[in-house]
Amino acid sequence: MKKGRYGIYGGQYIPETLMNAIIELEAAYNHYKKDESFIREFNSLLAEYAGRPSRLYYAKNMTENLKGAKIYLKREDLNHTGSHKINNVLGQVLLAKKMGKTRVIAETGAGQHGVATATAAALLGLECEIFMGKEDTERQALNVYRMRLLGAKVHAVTSGTQTLKDAVNETFREWSTRIDDTHYVLGSVMGPHPFPEIVRDFQSVIGREVKEQMLEAEGRLPDVILACVGGGSNAMGIFYEFIGHPEVRLIGCEAAGLGVDTDKTAATMATGRVGIFHGMKSYFCQDEYGQIAPVYSISAGLDYPGVGPEHSYLKDIKRAEYVPVTDKEAVEAFEYLSRIEGIIPAVESAHAVAYAMKLAPTMDKDKIMVINLSGRGDKDVAAIARYKGEDIYE
Amino acid sequence: MNRIERAFSNGKAFIPFITAGDPTIEVTEKLVYKLADAGVDLIELGIPFSDPVAEGSVIQAADVRALSSGTTTDKIFDMVKRIRMTCDVPIAFMTYVNPVFSYGADRFMRNCKEAGVDAIIIPDLPYEERDEIRPYCNKHGITYISMIAPTSKERIGNIVSDAEGFIYCVSSLGVTGVRQNIGLDSLEMVRSVKSVKNIPCAIGFGISTPEQARAMAEISDGVIVGSAIVRIIERHGNECIEPVIDYVKSMLAASKDKS
């Protein structure tokens, strides 16, 4: 396969101003990913600071209640900062520091990636600025304060739909004004090469741990793995180790919003077509003229009109399946997991839980399912309460 | 001599940018006639895109206005066809890769040819990815314009060897928009280009005053002005033609000024 390509997907579609920055990043990454001391430092941060390995928890109550496959939860919600985002961020901020950068910038949707980036920047002593859609700063006001508390400057992005896509636009714009001392910590397996590869590699620790933990617990690999997909970093992180094991079904759950037959949806695989945007060729929600569609999901983290290029490739070669999950189903799953296991999932992760609730009962009891619980739901409590008609504000 | 070559055959070229459909297709069409009458050498016509990542806030807002007035790629092709019945000012489209890719690059360039568009500029299609679109430009005889930036450095050799028409030199880091200080790197960029190949260089990004236009014209073959014009359109809406032309005349005179 061509460098930076996944089948026809991927590539480097960015303005000339940024090309040398991307080339410099690629060279640095190719060097440090083989550098013993970098690897040691990264692994030590994952263990000592992020709290890895995260637990693979047997969800006994859920399993008994659904009367089907045996369900395990990969507890990325227990990581420091409350989601899988910390894995990638520690890697990238460490890489930025090795490259001599003194400042990091990042986009954020739900705020998890922004909080994680601000955290890593605080730890490693880099300046940090976060770009967040204005609508998201309102949906996730507490995370905005968290980032500030961690020493980051937060910019509310008022262009376009004022959500994740616009935050990415603005971070690219900011990067093109200041490249020498600044690294863009992209938060998902998307954007121009080498970002999809870097983020996947840093997140692939999730799948490697699952494999080891599953072999220990059950002596075999799981039958199915579920993860939510916006850009797709937690899904790529848990899928990657299993791509070469075709007996393991990989299912990505995307945000259908009010439904894939409405225009209030963010289900890129179900409703999009191939396009080129944000530096990559992949599937995008767009109109007949290639204008990027305004998308919608209750989940700020999945409210994105595209998907990482490797996911598009996995879909085309039918190695992974992608299914839409509505707001309503996700909120039901949010409440269900809270009550049945005492675990409040991020509303993003609740999309994967929702599909598990449909799939598990159709599977035999000797089958094994793993759900990537990519984040914790504390940040979503007020929004879900409002969705349910309760007048609660943060 | 094709129309792009002609644009650089009348002293220093002055190249205004406007977003097609801002505020409406009708106003854009009138603006094109008036700009041609005023004597501009080439018109850069933006096809609006929902997410123009190389643009600053002024042109972003123009894209929003154009899209909300119902502008589509097909309506812009139709407009150029009408313009070509009476006016042969050189026209380059400026748009992003997705509107071209999504339309079908072959069909897009064929329509450019049929409508009478001379060239295309795609800021998010760097040298490494040019094969996505460029073969279709060649097939239909549309000039593919390459861009270089102050960060391009050792990349200039490859980009320029391969270039045709003219080189779009991005004056400074960042996105489009009016700037106080420009051009620190421009002279160096133009020299690097000319050391590879004798191809016209036009400088854009940030130019808004006659002084800047004069200074940039002095060190290059042409001056591109976008945001400063679009700001006048934003302020005056449907009544923008007269103030735009007044402004363009002053910039045109400064660019052509040989003193």
Side-chain angles (χ1 to χ4, degrees):
Chain A
M1 219 175 279
K2 222 176 122 190
K3 185 195 80 171
R5 289 279 174 178
Y6 309 91
I8 63 164
Y9 302 107
Q12 296 180 306
Y13 302 87
I14 50 168
E16 172 61 23
T17 302
L18 287 171
M19 274 309 292
N20 261 330
I22 286 289
I23 291 167
E24 179 199 14
L25 175 63
E26 187 183 353
Y29 180 63
N30 285 338
H31 170 77
Y32 285 108
K33 75 178 178 189
K34 292 182 212 126
D35 182 87
E36 293 286 330
S37 84
F38 179 86
I39 296 167
R40 211 176 311 119
E41 216 171 323
F42 176 49
N43 287 338
S44 150
L45 285 171
L46 288 181
E48 305 301 324
Y49 189 71
R52 301 208 71 90
S54 68
R55 309 306 297 252
L56 183 68
Y57 168 74
Y58 169 49
K60 186 162 173 281
N61 297 345
M62 192 176 170
T63 300
E64 284 170 3
N65 179 262
L66 294 174
K67 302 183 175 63
K70 199 167 176 185
I71 298 169
Y72 283 86
L73 304 176
K74 180 60 174 168
R75 300 291 309 274
E76 291 298 302
D77 60 316
L78 295 179
N79 295 338
H80 180 43
T81 72
S83 82
H84 71 291
K85 292 290 185 190
I86 193 75
N87 305 329
N88 165 48
V89 152
L90 286 172
Q92 279 200 52
V93 176
L94 188 61
L95 179 63
K97 196 168 177 172
K98 299 280 181 198
M99 290 171 73
K101 307 287 180 185
T102 54
R103 175 176 176 257
V104 289
I105 54 175
E107 86 292 346
T108 196
Q112 295 305 90
H113 176 59
V115 167
T117 305
T119 299
L123 175 71
L124 297 170
L126 279 80
E127 213 183 309
C128 178
E129 290 183 39
I130 302 296
F131 294 81
M132 187 170 186
K134 187 163 174 291
E135 191 182 315
D136 292 338
T137 61
E138 285 155 12
R139 283 198 277 196
Q140 301 287 351
L142 263 183
N143 268 341
V144 174
Y145 189 73
R146 248 175 223 127
M147 290 183 263
R148 292 208 182 107
L149 195 60
L150 292 158
K153 192 167 167 187
V154 181
H155 301 272
V157 175
T158 55
S159 59
T161 52
Q162 309 190 355
T163 59
L164 180 53
K165 149 186 95 94
D166 310 284
V168 174
N169 291 345
E170 214 50 43
T171 319
F172 272 118
R173 289 185 186 117
E174 172 62 25
W175 201 21
S176 73
T177 68
R178 200 170 150 186
I179 296 164
D180 278 354
D181 66 346
T182 300
H183 172 67
Y184 178 4
V185 182
L186 229 161
S188 193
V189 286
M190 47 158 285
H193 174 71
F195 282 111
E197 181 184 323
I198 291 180
V199 179
R200 176 199 70 201
D201 289 355
F202 287 145
Q203 291 293 1
S204 63
V205 63
I206 304 173
R208 282 198 306 277
E209 285 177 6
V210 167
K211 193 181 202 179
E212 199 174 303
Q213 291 164 325
M214 188 53 73
L215 287 174
E216 178 142 333
E218 298 281 350
R220 69 177 187 89
L221 298 182
D223 298 287
V224 56
I225 297 177
L226 300 177
C228 65
V229 175
S233 71
N234 88 81
M236 226 35 248
I238 197 166
F239 288 175
Y240 191 56
E241 185 69 22
F242 296 95
I243 289 174
H245 296 280
E247 70 277 20
V248 182
R249 256 180 99 183
L250 306 174
I251 303 177
C253 304
E254 33 172 31
L258 301 187
V260 292
D261 48 356
T262 73
D263 60 358
K264 295 271 184 210
T265 182
T268 308
M269 296 296 201
T271 67
R273 61 191 174 86
V274 179
I276 302 173
F277 181 50
H278 280 163
M280 59 181 170
K281 186 183 281 186
S282 196
Y283 282 92
F284 292 98
C285 299
Q286 55 185 316
D287 75 5
E288 59 170 315
Y289 290 104
Q291 305 294 345
I292 303 303
V295 290
Y296 164 80
S297 162
I298 190 172
S299 142
L302 304 182
D303 197 355
Y304 181 70
V307 65
E310 196 164 7
H311 283 296
S312 294
Y313 176 65
L314 293 178
K315 173 189 158 77
D316 281 10
I317 64 166
K318 299 186 163 49
R319 179 61 194 94
E321 305 153 58
Y322 296 85
V323 296
V325 173
T326 63
D327 281 3
K328 186 167 170 287
E329 293 167 326
V331 170
E332 280 164 15
F334 181 90
E335 296 175 320
Y336 175 81
L337 195 69
S338 301
R339 279 196 314 269
I340 201 153
E341 292 288 349
I343 296 171
I344 303 174
V347 69
E348 288 79 14
S349 321
H351 285 71
V353 176
Y355 195 71
M357 289 163 65
K358 285 189 201 171
L359 184 62
T362 70
M363 296 170 69
D364 291 339
K365 289 189 172 165
D366 61 349
K367 299 291 183 194
I368 300 170
M369 167 185 283
V370 176
I371 306 168
N372 199 13
L373 209 66
S374 55
R376 68 175 179 228
D378 309 48
K379 69 182 174 61
D380 299 308
V381 170
I384 299 292
R386 288 199 294 278
Y387 178 88
K388 301 292 288 185
E390 291 190 38
D391 196 18
I392 294 177
Y393 286 85
E394 291 165 340
Chain B
M1 191 185 293
N2 67 28
R3 278 194 288 252
I4 296 296
E5 286 158 354
R6 201 183 76 203
F8 289 89
S9 66
N10 175 31
K12 307 292 175 152
F14 180 75
I15 306 170
F17 166 91
I18 52 175
T19 300
D22 169 32
T24 64
I25 280 280
E26 292 69 30
V27 172
T28 302
E29 186 174 342
K30 282 182 203 155
L31 264 175
V32 170
Y33 298 128
K34 294 287 183 184
L35 288 167
D37 289 346
V40 305
D41 298 284
L42 169 71
I43 295 173
E44 203 190 312
L45 207 51
I47 297 179
F49 181 48
S50 53
D51 296 83
V53 289
E55 312 297 347
S57 55
V58 172
I59 295 178
Q60 285 175 45
D63 284 16
V64 170
R65 289 193 296 274
L67 291 171
S68 9
S69 79
T71 306
T72 66
T73 310
D74 283 326
K75 288 182 185 170
I76 297 169
F77 279 129
D78 290 342
M79 177 190 71
V80 176
K81 271 184 211 159
R82 288 195 298 275
I83 290 169
R84 279 289 176 246
M85 290 195 271
T86 56
C87 173
D88 78 338
V89 67
I91 292 176
F93 272 164
M94 204 297 303
T95 192
Y96 286 78
V97 63
N98 202 48
V100 180
F101 175 80
S102 167
Y103 195 87
D106 192 23
R107 175 175 163 233
F108 188 97
M109 295 308 158
R110 188 172 57 236
N111 287 1
C112 281
K113 188 65 189 173
E114 280 171 16
V117 176
D118 303 296
I120 186 148
I121 306 167
I122 308 177
D124 59 345
L125 192 70
Y127 175 77
E128 283 77 355
E129 303 290 1
R130 67 198 186 288
D131 282 351
E132 193 72 53
I133 303 293
R134 188 158 178 184
Y136 305 100
C137 296
N138 298 344
K139 180 175 167 191
H140 297 288
I142 305 302
T143 304
Y144 178 88
I145 304 303
S146 303
M147 301 179 93
I148 60 166
T151 49
S152 296
K153 299 185 176 129
E154 73 289 348
R155 296 171 51 75
I156 288 178
N158 281 339
I159 296 172
V160 174
S161 319
D162 195 48
E164 56 178 346
F166 66 95
I167 299 287
Y168 191 131
C169 300
V170 175
S171 70
S172 36
L173 293 182
V175 292
T176 56
V178 171
R179 294 175 179 41
Q180 297 296 323
N181 299 304
I182 53 159
L184 295 172
D185 307 298
S186 301
L187 179 60
E188 193 49 42
M189 260 190 288
V190 173
R191 278 187 184 145
S192 307
V193 171
K194 302 285 185 183
S195 74
V196 180
K197 184 156 99 184
N198 188 21
I199 183 170
C201 290
I203 302 177
F205 279 43
I207 301 169
S208 67
T209 67
E211 292 69 36
Q212 289 172 324
R214 191 175 293 118
M216 290 299 108
E218 211 162 280
I219 60 168
S220 70
D221 306 296
V223 173
I224 304 166
V225 175
S227 296
I229 293 171
V230 171
R231 231 169 24 176
I232 298 173
I233 298 175
E234 177 171 36
R235 195 173 316 135
H236 296 274
N238 290 332
E239 316 304 317
C240 67
I241 293 172
E242 205 181 307
V244 165
I245 297 303
D246 286 347
Y247 170 75
V248 164
K249 280 180 176 162
S250 69
M251 295 294 281
L252 182 66
S255 309
K256 302 273 182 197
D257 188 357
K258 294 193 179 64
S259 65

